[in-house]
Amino acid sequence: MGTTDSVAGVVAPAARTGLKGLLRRTWPLHVMLLPAVVLQFIFGYLPLSGLVIAFKDYKPYDGIWHSKWVGLDHFRFMFEYPDSKQVIMNTALIAGLKIVCNIIVPFVFALLLNEVRRNSVKRTVQTLVYLPYFISWVFLGGILNDMLSTDGIVNSVLHSWFGLSPILFLGSGNWFRFIVVLSDVWQQFGFGTIVYLAALAGVNPSLYEAAEVDGANRWRQTLSVTIPSLTPIIIVVGTLAVGNILNAGFDQIFNLYNPLVYDKGDIIDTFVYRTGILNGQYSFGTAVGIFKSAVGFVLIVIGYRAAYRLADYKIF
C-alpha cells in the first residue's frame, strides 16, 4: 500500500505539471482561437434562446418573452398542414437523389481518372472539375436561368438541331428536380473525386502486382482490388450523408425555383423562409425548423454509429 500511495502521489503532481507545461506552451494558440470562440458563442449559441417562439404565438410587438404560450400547437399544425407533407417528401426525394448521385458519379470518375497515366493531364482535369465547387449558387443560378430559359442557349440548340419546341425546364416540376440534381452533381463531384483519389493513393501497389502476376487485366484488377479497397470509404461517405437527408440545398433551390414548381421543388428550408419570414408566421416557421433539426440530429447519430460498425470509422 505504501508503494502504491507513493507512486500515485508522484504521478498526480507530474500530470498536473505536464498540463501546466502544455498550457504554458500553447497559450498563444488558445488566445488566437478566442475571438472565433466568442463570435461563435454570440452568433451561434445565444440566438438559440429564440427557439422558444416555436412554443408561443409570437408577435413582434409583444416580444419573445411576453407572447402567448401555445405549447405544441404549431407542431400539431405542421403535421396537419397539407403542404408540410409534400414539402417533406420533396426534401427527402431531392436530397436522397443528390446523396446517391454524389456517391456514384465521383466514385466512377475517380476510377477513370486513376487510369490516366500522364500526371499533367490528370492534374489538369482534377483542377477543372474541382473549380465549380467554389462558385456560389447565386452566380450559378443566374447562369442556369439564362441557359435554360425558353429563349436560352439550350432550347435554341434543341430547336435548331432537333426541331424540338421550347421546353420550360425550370417551370416543370419533373424537369426542375432533374436540373437540380444534375447541376448539384456537376458542382459537387469534383470534391468527392478528390476524396476517392486520396483513398486510391493509399491502396497497396503490391496488390496490383500480385493480381497482374495472376493474369488479371486492368478491368479485373479494378473489380478485385480497387473497388474492394474503396468499399470502406464508400460506406463512410454514404452513412455520414444520411444525416443530410433533409438538407436538399437551400441556396440552390432558392436561386432556381419559382411558384410554378412549388409542388415538386419546394423543400423544408425554402418553405420555412416563405412561411416564417415572407408571410410573418415566425412561430410556425421556427417549429418546422426545429423538426428538421431534430430529425437531422437523429440521422447524424445513426449515420456515425453505422459508419463505426460497418467501416470502423471514429470521429476521434
Side-chain angles (χ1 to χ4, degrees), residues 259-280:
L260 295 176
V261 295
Y262 280 172
D263 59 332
K264 293 188 177 180
D266 199 17
I267 60 174
I268 292 177
D269 291 330
T270 54
F271 179 69
V272 169
Y273 171 77
R274 285 203 329 276
T275 57
I277 298 179
L278 297 185
N279 296 338

Side-chain angles (χ1 to χ4, degrees), residues 6-307:
S6 62
V7 171
V10 171
V11 171
R16 288 195 296 267
T17 304
L19 180 60
K20 289 180 179 179
L22 179 62
L23 292 176
R24 194 176 295 115
R25 292 193 305 271
T26 61
W27 70 266
L29 300 177
H30 292 84
V31 173
M32 182 181 67
L33 288 175
L34 185 60
V37 172
V38 172
L39 290 176
Q40 179 64 23
F41 177 75
I42 294 174
F43 296 103
Y45 289 95
L46 284 182
L48 292 178
S49 61
L51 296 179
V52 71
I53 68 175
F55 306 94
K56 293 190 171 189
D57 183 17
Y58 174 68
K59 305 295 184 184
Y61 51 81
D62 288 334
I64 295 178
W65 307 113
H66 294 91
S67 296
K68 181 183 177 182
W69 182 271
V70 295
L72 299 176
D73 287 356
H74 295 299
F75 292 92
R76 282 192 290 266
F77 179 68
M78 177 182 64
F79 290 105
E80 295 172 357
Y81 193 60
D83 289 349
S84 298
K85 297 178 181 178
Q86 184 62 43
V87 166
I88 294 173
M89 291 178 59
N90 292 342
T91 305
L93 178 60
I94 293 175
L97 289 173
K98 285 183 177 182
I99 289 172
V100 172
C101 293
N102 280 319
I103 292 175
I104 296 176
V105 174
F107 174 72
V108 174
F109 189 80
L111 292 180
L112 296 175
L113 192 60
N114 190 57
E115 296 300 317
V116 177
R117 290 292 169 254
R118 295 188 61 178
N119 288 329
S120 58
V121 175
K122 183 185 294 187
R123 287 194 297 267
T124 302
V125 173
Q126 184 175 336
T127 301
L128 290 176
V129 299
Y130 190 44
L131 285 178
Y133 184 77
F134 298 100
I135 303 177
S136 168
W137 272 113
V138 176
F139 184 71
L140 289 178
I143 294 176
L144 289 175
N145 274 295
D146 288 339
M147 291 179 59
L148 300 175
S149 63
T150 53
D151 57 348
I153 184 173
V154 175
N155 274 309
S156 298
V157 170
L158 292 176
H159 177 70
S160 60
W161 289 11
F162 304 100
L164 299 177
S165 301
I167 300 174
L168 199 60
F169 288 104
L170 298 179
S172 171
N174 292 328
W175 274 111
F176 180 80
R177 287 176 175 174
F178 175 77
I179 297 300
V180 164
V181 175
L182 183 64
S183 59
D184 183 77
V185 171
W186 171 75
Q187 189 205 33
Q188 299 285 336
F189 87 98
F191 178 81
T193 300
I194 291 178
V195 174
Y196 291 118
L197 286 175
L200 282 169
V203 179
N204 191 346
S206 63
L207 297 176
Y208 292 104
E209 296 172 0
E212 190 173 357
V213 170
D214 290 339
N217 55 24
R218 296 299 300 176
W219 173 247
R220 192 63 195 176
Q221 291 177 29
T222 300
L223 293 178
S224 302
V225 178
T226 306
I227 293 180
S229 299
L230 292 182
T231 299
I233 190 64
I234 295 174
I235 294 174
V236 169
V237 171
T239 52
L240 297 185
V242 172
N244 293 318
I245 196 65
L246 294 184
N247 289 325
F250 172 79
D251 292 344
Q252 180 191 22
I253 302 294
F254 181 75
N255 285 285
L256 293 178
Y257 84 149
N258 57 77
L260 295 176
V261 295
Y262 280 172
D263 59 332
K264 293 188 177 180
D266 199 17
I267 60 174
I268 292 177
D269 291 330
T270 54
F271 179 69
V272 169
Y273 171 77
R274 285 203 329 276
T275 57
I277 298 179
L278 297 185
N279 296 338
Q281 301 179 31
Y282 303 107
S283 296
F284 178 68
T286 304
V288 177
I290 289 177
F291 166 76
K292 176 198 167 184
S293 299
V295 174
F297 174 75
V298 172
L299 291 176
I300 288 174
V301 173
I302 293 174
Y304 273 100
R305 293 300 300 172

